[in-house]
Amino acid sequence: MNKLLKLGLASVTALSLVACSGTGASDDSTKIGIIQLAEHPALDQAYEGFMDGLEEAGFTEENTVFDYQNASNDQSNCKTIADKFVNDGDDLIYAIATPAAQSVAQATSDIPILVNAVTDPAASGIVKDNEAPGGNVTGVSDLTPVEEQIDLLQQLLPDAKKVAVMYCSSEDNSKIQAEMAEKALDEAGIEWEEATVADSSSIQQVTESLIGKVDAIYIPTDNLLAEGMSAVAQVANANGIPCIVGESGMVTNGGLATYGIDYHKLGEMAAQQAVSILKDGKSPADMPIEYLSAEDCVLTINKTVAEELGITIPEDLADAEMVETAS
């Protein structure tokens, strides 16, 4: 039901900024504003998990106004949407992805805010401290197991000598993960170089610049590149450069593999925090940022890409979730 709800809400663009509410909601209903930076599988799952968790807790269209807005990966849209939620007097704001979370955190210090798909809220300036946020913002982190992903790269690509660390230079979320990956590559004795993109129009050019220079590409949970993963894969796979990526949606869109987190589960965790705030009266200031455990991470390998690149899956990875490239 929530997927259908989202499809309806998604038709309302960030530019129109028209509130969407359940048909049975009354004027005194709880109002929840939801801002999603962009459309791609990880962020979609973070939304769907949140809605599923709220429905299970009794927050439905009959008693809650859900105002879903997609910023289309545009920072100016994020600010406009954030201001709208504040002006509407929403009871809670759910912000998916770092730029969206930064915008709403700057827009209000009063309305409770929950964030998701933010690697390090403190380092991104969204909270004072991840253990003790101290303000009106808390949420869940999508910190991925970067070291384990680099280990996975070595298992699948034991002959890789040089790796490109590819990310969007304007995403704080990505910079943090890139630094972690570079450290892990240093410790593994693997040479690396940074390959940064500024916008979607530069993805193909940057990927093409790596041909003949690197043996593999590592991409963290970068929103711009998650949206443009198929463009990366089209060039990289055609030139024998496998991509180890940050999350499973990027694998489906042409990456070779990931050991990544469950964004639907993260959304459910954020919903539990929302219930604590809206029903139990808890303050975000006293609610630490929450993280998934290693047990919630999933190994995903793209069978289509592995066969295309002639990569043999080691026996100890044979129990991975196998997917095929999305058509």
Side-chain angles (χ1 to χ4, degrees), residues 49-91:
F50 183 70
M51 295 298 290
D52 288 344
L54 286 181
E55 182 179 26
E56 186 174 341
F59 290 89
T60 68
E61 289 181 82
E62 283 67 42
N63 56 33
T64 308
V65 176
F66 297 106
D67 184 358
Y68 171 86
Q69 301 289 341
N70 191 303
S72 301
N73 214 357
D74 186 307
Q75 190 65 54
S76 63
N77 284 347
C78 287
K79 184 180 185 308
T80 302
I81 294 166
D83 290 341
K84 175 189 185 300
F85 289 163
V86 174
N87 292 335
D88 288 347
D90 287 352
D91 297 298

Short mmCIF file of all heavy atoms in Angstrom, two decimals, residues 49-91:
data_model
loop_
_atom_site.label_atom_id
_atom_site.label_comp_id
_atom_site.label_asym_id
_atom_site.label_seq_id
_atom_site.Cartn_x
_atom_site.Cartn_y
_atom_site.Cartn_z
N GLY A 49 10.45 1.97 4.11
CA GLY A 49 10.59 1.39 5.44
C GLY A 49 10.00 2.29 6.51
O GLY A 49 9.36 1.81 7.47
N PHE A 50 10.17 3.60 6.36
CA PHE A 50 9.61 4.57 7.30
C PHE A 50 8.09 4.51 7.28
O PHE A 50 7.43 4.43 8.33
CB PHE A 50 10.09 5.97 6.92
CG PHE A 50 9.66 7.07 7.85
CD1 PHE A 50 10.18 7.17 9.13
CD2 PHE A 50 8.74 8.03 7.43
CE1 PHE A 50 9.79 8.20 9.99
CE2 PHE A 50 8.35 9.05 8.28
CZ PHE A 50 8.88 9.14 9.56
N MET A 51 7.51 4.49 6.09
CA MET A 51 6.06 4.45 5.98
C MET A 51 5.49 3.13 6.50
O MET A 51 4.46 3.12 7.18
CB MET A 51 5.65 4.66 4.52
CG MET A 51 6.00 6.04 3.97
SD MET A 51 5.18 7.39 4.85
CE MET A 51 3.48 7.14 4.33
N ASP A 52 6.17 2.04 6.21
CA ASP A 52 5.71 0.74 6.71
C ASP A 52 5.76 0.70 8.24
O ASP A 52 4.84 0.19 8.89
CB ASP A 52 6.57 -0.38 6.14
CG ASP A 52 6.29 -0.65 4.67
OD1 ASP A 52 5.25 -0.19 4.17
OD2 ASP A 52 7.15 -1.30 4.02
N GLY A 53 6.84 1.26 8.80
CA GLY A 53 6.97 1.28 10.25
C GLY A 53 5.92 2.14 10.91
O GLY A 53 5.37 1.78 11.97
N LEU A 54 5.60 3.28 10.32
CA LEU A 54 4.56 4.16 10.87
C LEU A 54 3.19 3.51 10.78
O LEU A 54 2.38 3.60 11.71
CB LEU A 54 4.56 5.50 10.13
CG LEU A 54 5.71 6.46 10.45
CD1 LEU A 54 5.56 7.74 9.65
CD2 LEU A 54 5.77 6.78 11.94
N GLU A 55 2.92 2.86 9.65
CA GLU A 55 1.62 2.19 9.49
C GLU A 55 1.45 1.12 10.57
O GLU A 55 0.36 0.99 11.15
CB GLU A 55 1.53 1.58 8.10
CG GLU A 55 0.19 0.90 7.84
CD GLU A 55 0.10 0.32 6.44
OE1 GLU A 55 1.15 -0.01 5.85
OE2 GLU A 55 -1.03 0.19 5.95
N GLU A 56 2.50 0.37 10.82
CA GLU A 56 2.43 -0.67 11.84
C GLU A 56 2.17 -0.08 13.22
O GLU A 56 1.52 -0.70 14.06
CB GLU A 56 3.74 -1.47 11.84
CG GLU A 56 3.72 -2.67 12.77
CD GLU A 56 4.98 -3.52 12.65
OE1 GLU A 56 5.68 -3.41 11.63
OE2 GLU A 56 5.24 -4.30 13.58
N ALA A 57 2.66 1.15 13.43
CA ALA A 57 2.46 1.81 14.73
C ALA A 57 1.15 2.57 14.82
O ALA A 57 0.87 3.20 15.85
CB ALA A 57 3.63 2.77 14.98
N GLY A 58 0.35 2.54 13.73
CA GLY A 58 -0.96 3.16 13.79
C GLY A 58 -1.07 4.52 13.14
O GLY A 58 -2.13 5.16 13.19
N PHE A 59 0.00 5.00 12.52
CA PHE A 59 -0.05 6.28 11.80
C PHE A 59 -0.43 5.99 10.35
O PHE A 59 0.37 5.49 9.56
CB PHE A 59 1.30 6.99 11.85
CG PHE A 59 1.65 7.53 13.21
CD1 PHE A 59 2.33 6.73 14.13
CD2 PHE A 59 1.30 8.82 13.58
CE1 PHE A 59 2.65 7.22 15.39
CE2 PHE A 59 1.62 9.32 14.84
CZ PHE A 59 2.29 8.51 15.75
N THR A 60 -1.66 6.31 9.98
CA THR A 60 -2.18 6.00 8.65
C THR A 60 -2.72 7.27 8.01
O THR A 60 -2.77 8.34 8.63
CB THR A 60 -3.30 4.96 8.73
OG1 THR A 60 -4.44 5.54 9.38
CG2 THR A 60 -2.85 3.72 9.50
N GLU A 61 -3.20 7.15 6.78
CA GLU A 61 -3.78 8.30 6.07
C GLU A 61 -5.04 8.81 6.76
O GLU A 61 -5.43 9.96 6.56
CB GLU A 61 -4.13 7.90 4.64
CG GLU A 61 -2.92 7.67 3.75
CD GLU A 61 -3.36 7.29 2.35
OE1 GLU A 61 -3.68 8.21 1.56
OE2 GLU A 61 -3.39 6.09 2.04
N GLU A 62 -5.66 7.96 7.57
CA GLU A 62 -6.88 8.38 8.25
C GLU A 62 -6.60 9.34 9.40
O GLU A 62 -7.48 10.13 9.78
CB GLU A 62 -7.64 7.16 8.79
CG GLU A 62 -8.40 6.38 7.73
CD GLU A 62 -7.48 5.70 6.73
OE1 GLU A 62 -6.44 5.15 7.15
OE2 GLU A 62 -7.78 5.75 5.51
N ASN A 63 -5.40 9.28 9.98
CA ASN A 63 -5.12 10.15 11.14
C ASN A 63 -3.84 10.97 10.99
O ASN A 63 -3.45 11.67 11.91
CB ASN A 63 -5.04 9.32 12.43
CG ASN A 63 -4.01 8.20 12.33
OD1 ASN A 63 -2.97 8.33 11.69
ND2 ASN A 63 -4.30 7.08 12.99
N THR A 64 -3.21 10.89 9.83
CA THR A 64 -1.93 11.58 9.63
C THR A 64 -1.86 12.21 8.25
O THR A 64 -2.27 11.59 7.26
CB THR A 64 -0.74 10.59 9.77
OG1 THR A 64 -0.87 9.87 11.00
CG2 THR A 64 0.59 11.32 9.75
N VAL A 65 -1.38 13.44 8.20
CA VAL A 65 -1.13 14.11 6.93
C VAL A 65 0.33 13.87 6.55
O VAL A 65 1.24 14.30 7.25
CB VAL A 65 -1.39 15.63 7.02
CG1 VAL A 65 -1.02 16.32 5.71
CG2 VAL A 65 -2.83 15.91 7.39
N PHE A 66 0.55 13.14 5.47
CA PHE A 66 1.89 12.89 4.96
C PHE A 66 2.15 13.81 3.77
O PHE A 66 1.47 13.72 2.76
CB PHE A 66 2.05 11.43 4.52
CG PHE A 66 1.89 10.43 5.62
CD1 PHE A 66 0.75 9.65 5.71
CD2 PHE A 66 2.89 10.26 6.56
CE1 PHE A 66 0.60 8.72 6.72
CE2 PHE A 66 2.76 9.32 7.57
CZ PHE A 66 1.60 8.55 7.65
N ASP A 67 3.13 14.69 3.91
CA ASP A 67 3.48 15.61 2.82
C ASP A 67 4.83 15.17 2.26
O ASP A 67 5.89 15.52 2.80
CB ASP A 67 3.54 17.04 3.35
CG ASP A 67 3.80 18.06 2.25
OD1 ASP A 67 3.97 17.67 1.08
OD2 ASP A 67 3.84 19.27 2.57
N TYR A 68 4.80 14.38 1.19
CA TYR A 68 6.03 13.87 0.58
C TYR A 68 6.50 14.80 -0.52
O TYR A 68 5.72 15.18 -1.41
CB TYR A 68 5.79 12.47 0.00
CG TYR A 68 6.94 11.96 -0.83
CD1 TYR A 68 8.01 11.30 -0.24
CD2 TYR A 68 6.96 12.16 -2.21
CE1 TYR A 68 9.08 10.85 -1.00
CE2 TYR A 68 8.03 11.71 -2.98
CZ TYR A 68 9.08 11.06 -2.37
OH TYR A 68 10.14 10.62 -3.12
N GLN A 69 7.78 15.19 -0.46
CA GLN A 69 8.35 16.05 -1.49
C GLN A 69 9.70 15.49 -1.94
O GLN A 69 10.52 15.11 -1.10
CB GLN A 69 8.55 17.48 -0.96
CG GLN A 69 7.29 18.17 -0.48
CD GLN A 69 6.36 18.56 -1.62
OE1 GLN A 69 6.76 18.64 -2.77
NE2 GLN A 69 5.10 18.79 -1.28
N ASN A 70 9.90 15.43 -3.24
CA ASN A 70 11.18 14.99 -3.80
C ASN A 70 11.92 16.20 -4.36
O ASN A 70 11.38 16.95 -5.18
CB ASN A 70 10.94 13.95 -4.91
CG ASN A 70 12.21 13.26 -5.34
OD1 ASN A 70 13.18 13.90 -5.74
ND2 ASN A 70 12.21 11.94 -5.26
N ALA A 71 13.17 16.38 -3.93
CA ALA A 71 13.93 17.56 -4.31
C ALA A 71 14.64 17.43 -5.65
O ALA A 71 15.31 18.36 -6.09
CB ALA A 71 14.95 17.90 -3.22
N SER A 72 14.52 16.28 -6.29
CA SER A 72 15.13 16.07 -7.61
C SER A 72 16.63 16.38 -7.61
O SER A 72 17.17 16.89 -8.58
CB SER A 72 14.41 16.91 -8.67
OG SER A 72 13.05 16.58 -8.75
N ASN A 73 17.28 16.06 -6.49
CA ASN A 73 18.73 16.26 -6.33
C ASN A 73 19.15 17.69 -6.58
O ASN A 73 20.21 17.96 -7.14
CB ASN A 73 19.51 15.31 -7.26
CG ASN A 73 20.81 14.87 -6.63
OD1 ASN A 73 21.18 15.29 -5.55
ND2 ASN A 73 21.53 14.00 -7.33
N ASP A 74 18.32 18.62 -6.15
CA ASP A 74 18.58 20.05 -6.34
C ASP A 74 18.60 20.73 -4.97
O ASP A 74 17.60 20.72 -4.25
CB ASP A 74 17.49 20.65 -7.23
CG ASP A 74 17.77 22.10 -7.60
OD1 ASP A 74 18.00 22.92 -6.69
OD2 ASP A 74 17.73 22.41 -8.81
N GLN A 75 19.72 21.34 -4.62
CA GLN A 75 19.87 21.94 -3.30
C GLN A 75 18.89 23.10 -3.07
O GLN A 75 18.38 23.29 -1.97
CB GLN A 75 21.30 22.44 -3.11
CG GLN A 75 21.62 22.86 -1.67
CD GLN A 75 21.56 21.70 -0.70
OE1 GLN A 75 22.21 20.68 -0.89
NE2 GLN A 75 20.77 21.82 0.35
N SER A 76 18.61 23.87 -4.12
CA SER A 76 17.66 24.98 -3.96
C SER A 76 16.26 24.45 -3.68
O SER A 76 15.50 25.05 -2.90
CB SER A 76 17.66 25.87 -5.21
OG SER A 76 17.23 25.15 -6.35
N ASN A 77 15.91 23.31 -4.29
CA ASN A 77 14.62 22.68 -3.97
C ASN A 77 14.57 22.23 -2.52
O ASN A 77 13.54 22.33 -1.86
CB ASN A 77 14.38 21.47 -4.88
CG ASN A 77 13.98 21.85 -6.29
OD1 ASN A 77 13.62 23.00 -6.55
ND2 ASN A 77 14.04 20.90 -7.20
N CYS A 78 15.70 21.71 -2.02
CA CYS A 78 15.75 21.28 -0.61
C CYS A 78 15.40 22.43 0.32
O CYS A 78 14.62 22.28 1.26
CB CYS A 78 17.15 20.75 -0.27
SG CYS A 78 17.54 19.14 -0.97
N LYS A 79 15.97 23.59 0.06
CA LYS A 79 15.71 24.76 0.91
C LYS A 79 14.23 25.18 0.82
O LYS A 79 13.60 25.49 1.84
CB LYS A 79 16.61 25.92 0.52
CG LYS A 79 16.46 27.14 1.43
CD LYS A 79 17.37 28.27 1.02
CE LYS A 79 17.28 29.42 2.03
NZ LYS A 79 15.89 29.87 2.29
N THR A 80 13.71 25.20 -0.40
CA THR A 80 12.31 25.59 -0.59
C THR A 80 11.36 24.65 0.14
O THR A 80 10.40 25.08 0.80
CB THR A 80 11.96 25.62 -2.09
OG1 THR A 80 12.84 26.52 -2.76
CG2 THR A 80 10.52 26.06 -2.31
N ILE A 81 11.63 23.36 0.03
CA ILE A 81 10.78 22.36 0.69
C ILE A 81 10.89 22.48 2.21
O ILE A 81 9.89 22.41 2.93
CB ILE A 81 11.18 20.95 0.23
CG1 ILE A 81 10.86 20.76 -1.26
CG2 ILE A 81 10.45 19.88 1.06
CD1 ILE A 81 11.51 19.53 -1.87
N ALA A 82 12.12 22.67 2.70
CA ALA A 82 12.32 22.82 4.15
C ALA A 82 11.53 24.01 4.68
O ALA A 82 10.86 23.92 5.72
CB ALA A 82 13.81 22.98 4.44
N ASP A 83 11.60 25.12 3.97
CA ASP A 83 10.86 26.32 4.40
C ASP A 83 9.36 26.06 4.39
O ASP A 83 8.62 26.55 5.26
CB ASP A 83 11.21 27.50 3.48
CG ASP A 83 12.63 28.01 3.67
OD1 ASP A 83 13.23 27.72 4.73
OD2 ASP A 83 13.13 28.70 2.77
N LYS A 84 8.89 25.29 3.41
CA LYS A 84 7.47 24.97 3.33
C LYS A 84 7.01 24.18 4.55
O LYS A 84 5.98 24.50 5.16
CB LYS A 84 7.18 24.17 2.06
CG LYS A 84 5.73 23.69 1.95
CD LYS A 84 5.54 22.74 0.80
CE LYS A 84 4.06 22.38 0.63
NZ LYS A 84 3.48 21.73 1.81
N PHE A 85 7.78 23.17 4.92
CA PHE A 85 7.42 22.35 6.07
C PHE A 85 7.35 23.21 7.35
O PHE A 85 6.47 23.01 8.18
CB PHE A 85 8.43 21.23 6.27
CG PHE A 85 8.38 20.14 5.22
CD1 PHE A 85 9.45 19.26 5.07
CD2 PHE A 85 7.28 19.98 4.40
CE1 PHE A 85 9.41 18.24 4.13
CE2 PHE A 85 7.23 18.98 3.44
CZ PHE A 85 8.30 18.10 3.30
N VAL A 86 8.30 24.12 7.49
CA VAL A 86 8.32 24.99 8.68
C VAL A 86 7.09 25.91 8.67
O VAL A 86 6.40 26.06 9.69
CB VAL A 86 9.61 25.82 8.73
CG1 VAL A 86 9.55 26.83 9.88
CG2 VAL A 86 10.82 24.90 8.90
N ASN A 87 6.81 26.50 7.52
CA ASN A 87 5.64 27.40 7.42
C ASN A 87 4.33 26.66 7.64
O ASN A 87 3.37 27.25 8.15
CB ASN A 87 5.63 28.08 6.04
CG ASN A 87 6.78 29.06 5.87
OD1 ASN A 87 7.30 29.59 6.85
ND2 ASN A 87 7.18 29.30 4.63
N ASP A 88 4.29 25.40 7.27
CA ASP A 88 3.07 24.60 7.46
C ASP A 88 2.89 24.15 8.91
O ASP A 88 1.83 23.64 9.27
CB ASP A 88 3.11 23.35 6.57
CG ASP A 88 2.92 23.67 5.10
OD1 ASP A 88 2.53 24.81 4.78
OD2 ASP A 88 3.17 22.77 4.26
N GLY A 89 3.93 24.33 9.73
CA GLY A 89 3.84 23.91 11.12
C GLY A 89 3.77 22.41 11.30
O GLY A 89 3.03 21.91 12.16
N ASP A 90 4.54 21.67 10.50
CA ASP A 90 4.54 20.22 10.62
C ASP A 90 4.96 19.78 12.02
O ASP A 90 5.73 20.47 12.70
CB ASP A 90 5.48 19.60 9.59
CG ASP A 90 4.90 19.67 8.17
OD1 ASP A 90 3.73 20.04 8.03
OD2 ASP A 90 5.64 19.34 7.22
N ASP A 91 4.45 18.63 12.43
CA ASP A 91 4.77 18.09 13.76
C ASP A 91 6.11 17.36 13.77
O ASP A 91 6.75 17.23 14.82
CB ASP A 91 3.67 17.13 14.20
CG ASP A 91 2.34 17.84 14.36
OD1 ASP A 91 2.25 18.75 15.20
OD2 ASP A 91 1.40 17.48 13.62
#
